[in-house]
Amino acid sequence: MTVSAFKELLVCNEPDFEYNGQMYSICCPNGVYFVTASDSPGDIDLRFDSVDDMLDNWVIQGSLLRDILKDIEI
């Protein structure tokens, strides 16, 4: 998935996705992005103020979301 397609998807969706056998989800109440990760229960405390903030700061299995986005199908 490209960054632009991901940003467009988040305009009206709160997706779940799988990456390397683990499940992840994103929700966005009131313009703030919250995430959950099956392999990292502490991620429930993460909050991101924008899509770019999430792309540049959410570490999934040792990599930034921006870097693995190309390998994710939503």
Side-chain angles (χ1 to χ4, degrees), residues 49-69:
D49 296 321
S50 69
V51 177
D52 283 312
D53 182 26
M54 182 172 47
L55 286 166
D56 293 332
N57 294 295
W58 188 12
V59 178
I60 297 175
Q61 298 181 25
S63 299
L64 295 175
L65 176 58
R66 185 179 296 275
D67 295 337
I68 65 169
L69 196 57

Side-chain angles (χ1 to χ4, degrees), residues 10-72:
L10 290 177
V11 170
C12 54
N13 294 285
E14 294 183 335
D16 295 331
F17 62 92
E18 184 268 335
Y19 179 72
N20 284 339
Q22 299 295 322
M23 293 302 300
Y24 303 89
S25 64
I26 301 167
C27 67
C28 184
N30 302 317
V32 177
Y33 294 89
F34 295 92
V35 299
T36 60
S38 63
D39 63 334
S40 185
D43 281 4
I44 200 165
D45 295 325
L46 293 179
R47 89 178 248 153
F48 303 100
D49 296 321
S50 69
V51 177
D52 283 312
D53 182 26
M54 182 172 47
L55 286 166
D56 293 332
N57 294 295
W58 188 12
V59 178
I60 297 175
Q61 298 181 25
S63 299
L64 295 175
L65 176 58
R66 185 179 296 275
D67 295 337
I68 65 169
L69 196 57
K70 66 185 179 311
D71 301 319
I72 295 172

